[in-house]
Amino acid sequence: MSSLGTAPRPFLSSQKAYGLLTKVQNGSAVVFSVFAVTHGLQILSANVGGSALANNWIMLGRPFYQDEHLEGILVTGSILTHVAAGLGKLGIRLYWNNNNKTTTTTTMRSKKNPALLPYHGLSGYLLIPLAGLHYYLVRHLPIAYYGDSAFIDFGYIAWGLQNQPLFTYGLHTALVVAAAYHMVSGAKVAIWKGKRNEPIVAAAAATTKVPLHGKSVEQKKMDDKVKKNQLIRHGVVAGISVGLISGLIIIGIDTKKIPLRLDFAKMYSNIV
């Protein structure tokens, strides 16, 4: 049989690869959220019991997410997997956008998901350097200096807030806002993975109905629902961000004694 005019079918089509990467991205987000929620509650506790309670909570929670077996799964492994999957999806979308033979399915997949907040992608890209710098500051530098970081409490961050406020407040405010925005935005998509493309399909179907001022009735209702949902989630982002930032401020003000301040100054000098 002649094989002229035929091409070998790829092992994994771009559509299937995109779907697989989406599942990997969603799964890794759920895993990382275990650490993120735990660490966030430690900071929020300062709003109730000051730096003393926050330090107690961080010492209680740290053995869980800095365990030699769990840290590679809950923290570094999950976030690196999430970033790699996201970059892989970005590459596929760029390929689709540059390919003149895109199908209806790939075009629909490449559209912005209404279930996400408008700047979900941008907040994710911003988190790469922000989270990387935070990890370098609070994990890498103490390990390089002491050989371990398990015994360091919020006094380390408090020293930075008191002595390098521009850098420390700037880094952690940006990190808190970007992380809160990205996680609140993606929570629904990560949990209900199978529903990811349904809003786009419904929106496309709605355009066939009777138009009202240039939009279909169903499309207008859907747009109003999306806007209301986004407004609520923006409020959640603001609430979480304010709570975490106020916790950091309290930690910075409430921490009076920092026995390792000279060591902390040397560690911060590697960045600032």
Side-chain angles (χ1 to χ4, degrees):
M1 180 180 293
S2 174
S3 60
L4 294 176
T6 63
R9 179 176 294 181
F11 172 73
L12 188 65
S13 67
S14 61
Q15 295 93 335
K16 290 183 179 180
Y18 194 89
L20 179 61
L21 287 172
T22 297
K23 292 180 180 179
V24 171
Q25 192 177 37
N26 291 337
S28 60
V30 172
V31 173
F32 182 76
S33 67
V34 175
F35 159 73
V37 171
T38 302
H39 194 40
L41 288 174
Q42 293 166 343
I43 300 172
L44 287 172
S45 67
N47 292 285
V48 179
S51 61
L53 181 61
N55 283 324
N56 287 336
W57 278 33
I58 198 171
M59 289 305 179
L60 287 173
R62 183 171 282 161
F64 169 62
Y65 57 77
Q66 284 190 359
D67 176 82
E68 61 177 331
H69 303 296
L70 290 178
E71 183 177 17
I73 299 173
L74 292 178
V75 188
T76 53
S78 60
I79 197 169
L80 289 174
T81 300
H82 189 76
V83 170
L87 293 176
K89 290 173 64 178
L90 174 63
I92 292 176
R93 288 196 300 272
L94 292 175
Y95 167 76
W96 285 341
N97 291 336
N98 292 328
N99 188 351
N100 294 328
K101 296 181 180 181
T102 50
T103 64
T104 302
T105 302
T106 58
T107 300
M108 290 174 65
R109 281 183 179 270
S110 64
K111 288 182 179 180
K112 182 179 291 186
N113 190 338
L116 299 173
L117 293 176
Y119 301 106
H120 177 82
L122 176 61
S123 64
Y125 296 134
L126 289 175
L127 279 171
I128 296 175
L130 292 172
L133 185 55
H134 175 73
Y135 182 85
Y136 179 78
L137 174 67
V138 303
R139 193 78 171 111
H140 175 78
L141 288 178
I143 290 176
Y145 193 87
Y146 294 115
D148 190 13
S149 67
F151 63 93
I152 295 180
D153 59 16
F154 278 116
Y156 182 48
I157 295 299
W159 186 94
L161 295 172
Q162 294 171 8
N163 297 276
Q164 298 289 349
L166 185 62
F167 167 76
T168 311
Y169 274 114
L171 169 62
H172 291 93
T173 298
L175 179 61
V176 161
V177 174
Y181 187 96
H182 193 73
M183 293 185 69
V184 170
S185 171
K188 184 177 181 179
V189 173
I191 295 172
W192 290 285
K193 300 182 281 290
K195 306 296 184 180
R196 185 174 181 86
N197 291 317
E198 286 187 5
I200 299 175
V201 175
T207 58
T208 61
K209 303 299 182 180
V210 178
L212 177 65
H213 304 298
K215 286 188 176 182
S216 67
V217 176
E218 285 80 0
Q219 183 65 55
K220 187 177 184 304
K221 289 181 180 179
M222 182 171 291
D223 288 347
D224 292 341
K225 184 176 181 180
V226 168
K227 288 179 181 178
K228 182 179 179 180
N229 182 270
Q230 288 183 352
L231 183 62
I232 294 172
R233 287 192 290 167
H234 277 125
V236 174
V237 171
I240 293 173
S241 299
V242 169
L244 290 172
I245 293 169
S246 66
L248 288 172
I249 293 173
I250 291 171
I251 288 171
I253 295 174
D254 193 44
T255 304
K256 304 300 182 182
K257 296 181 180 180
I258 306 177
L260 299 175
R261 60 187 179 280
L262 297 179
D263 290 347
F264 294 167
K266 291 178 182 179
M267 285 188 279
Y268 270 84
S269 67
N270 287 280
I271 299 178
V272 185

